[in-house]
Amino acid sequence: AQSVSQHNHHVILSEAASLELGCNYSYGGTVNLFWYVQYPGQHLQLLLKYFSGDPLVKGIKGFEAEFIKSKFSFNLRKPSVQWSDTAEYFCASRSYNTDKLIFGTGTRLQVFP
Amino acid sequence: DSGVTQTPKHLITATGQRVTLRCSPRSGDLSVYWYQQSLDQGLQFLIQYYNGEERAKGNILERFSAQQFPDLHSELNLSSLELGDSALYFCASSASPGSSYNEQFFGPGTRLTVL
C-alpha cells in the first residue's frame, strides 16, 4: 500500500536556524506531493505542492521542498525559521488511483526565540 | 480561511450516542472528503463524495456513514460511539476529482470528545 513516512517526530530549533524536515513516499509511479502546516488550534493549510516539472518547489512563507525521485523523497526546507513557524507539518501524497491524500505522521516543530 | 466550513466546532457526547458532523465545501467545489485525525492513527482518509455520489472509501467504520446533498454540503454520521472515536474530524473540498492538479482545501475541523 502507498505510504508516506516522516522520520522527524519532534524538532526544536532556535529562531534563525535552518530547517529541513524529511519525507519519504513509497509509490514509484507519477506522484503528487504536498506539505501542509497546522498551526495550534487551526486547520491544515497548504504550504506547497509538487505535480511535475521543476523538482524544487517554492511555497508560501519562505518554505521550499525538493522532489528527488531516486530517493523517493520530498524534504521541506526553510533557511531561517521564525517563532511563528511553530506548528505541525504534514507531508502527503495523493493516492495513485483515487483523490485521497495519504499523510505522514507529522512533525511537530517548536521554534524558540 | 479556506472557504470550507464545518459545524459544530466542538462536540462532547457519551458512548453509545450518535452525532452528525456537517461540512460546506468551497463555492464551486463538487468533491468533499472526510478525514479523521487522532493521536494513535494520525490523519486518515475516511470517505469521498463527488456531486452527491460516493467516490472513494477509506478506513471508515461500518458505524460511520456519510452523504452529500444536492446543495453539495456533506454530513458525516457517527453512531454507537466509542471512546476511541474521539478525534478531530476534518472535511476538505476540491474542484474536480481525477485531475492531476487537484488540490484539497481543509475546513477548521470538528473536535469530537466521547466520554
Side-chain angles (χ1 to χ4, degrees):
Chain A
Q2 241 177 305
S3 64
V4 173
S5 303
Q6 290 181 248
H7 309 297
N8 317 102
H9 296 293
H10 191 187
V11 172
I12 301 173
L13 294 172
S14 298
E15 272 192 323
S18 64
L19 170 72
E20 180 159 3
L21 302 182
C23 172
N24 288 95
Y25 61 93
S26 65
Y27 182 59
T30 301
V31 286
N32 299 150
L33 298 165
F34 307 82
W35 274 99
Y36 281 87
V37 61
Q38 187 177 26
Y39 297 104
Q42 294 192 27
H43 62 94
L44 289 161
Q45 298 174 40
L46 183 66
L47 273 179
L48 47 80
K49 60 193 177 192
Y50 172 79
F51 289 108
S52 63
D54 189 344
L56 187 60
V57 180
K58 294 199 183 296
I60 61 171
K61 307 187 184 203
F63 286 91
E64 64 178 32
E66 186 174 11
F67 170 63
I68 303 179
K69 191 173 182 178
S70 60
K71 294 185 178 180
F72 293 85
S73 70
F74 189 57
N75 293 354
L76 181 72
R77 299 194 294 243
K78 186 171 185 179
S80 176
V81 294
Q82 301 172 315
W83 175 79
S84 58
D85 293 324
T86 294
E88 188 137 20
Y89 293 80
F90 293 92
C91 181
S93 169
R94 179 171 168 257
S95 168
Y96 74 94
N97 61 348
T98 72
D99 297 308
K100 74 177 186 184
L101 292 176
I102 299 161
F103 285 91
T105 49
T107 297
R108 186 176 167 218
L109 172 66
Q110 277 184 292
V111 180
F112 288 97
Chain B
D1 186 357
S2 66
V4 178
T5 60
Q6 288 186 248
T7 56
K9 267 190 166 177
H10 302 277
L11 204 46
I12 301 174
T13 188
T15 54
Q17 295 299 304
R18 173 189 167 93
V19 296
T20 298
L21 281 51
R22 183 189 167 104
C23 167
S24 292
R26 289 188 324 152
S27 177
D29 284 356
L30 299 178
S31 214
V32 169
Y33 311 76
W34 287 97
Y35 292 87
Q36 180 194 58
Q37 185 179 29
S38 61
L39 284 174
D40 53 343
Q41 298 286 335
L43 261 164
Q44 300 254 323
F45 168 74
L46 294 178
I47 197 163
Q48 178 197 2
Y49 277 82
Y50 172 67
N51 207 19
E53 301 288 325
E54 182 185 302
R55 184 171 173 90
K57 222 168 183 175
N59 298 325
I60 187 165
L61 300 171
E62 282 191 18
R63 300 183 285 108
F64 296 1
S65 64
Q67 58 185 126
Q68 186 178 27
F69 294 86
D71 67 352
L72 300 177
H73 91 271
S74 177
E75 292 181 357
L76 179 67
N77 300 296
L78 314 176
S79 61
S80 304
L81 285 167
E82 301 175 359
L83 295 177
D85 297 328
S86 295
L88 197 48
Y89 291 85
F90 284 109
C91 169
S93 74
S94 69
S96 58
S99 164
S100 293
Y101 298 92
N102 200 26
E103 180 180 330
Q104 294 180 28
F105 295 87
F106 282 78
T110 293
R111 182 169 293 283
L112 173 66
T113 303
V114 183
L115 301 174

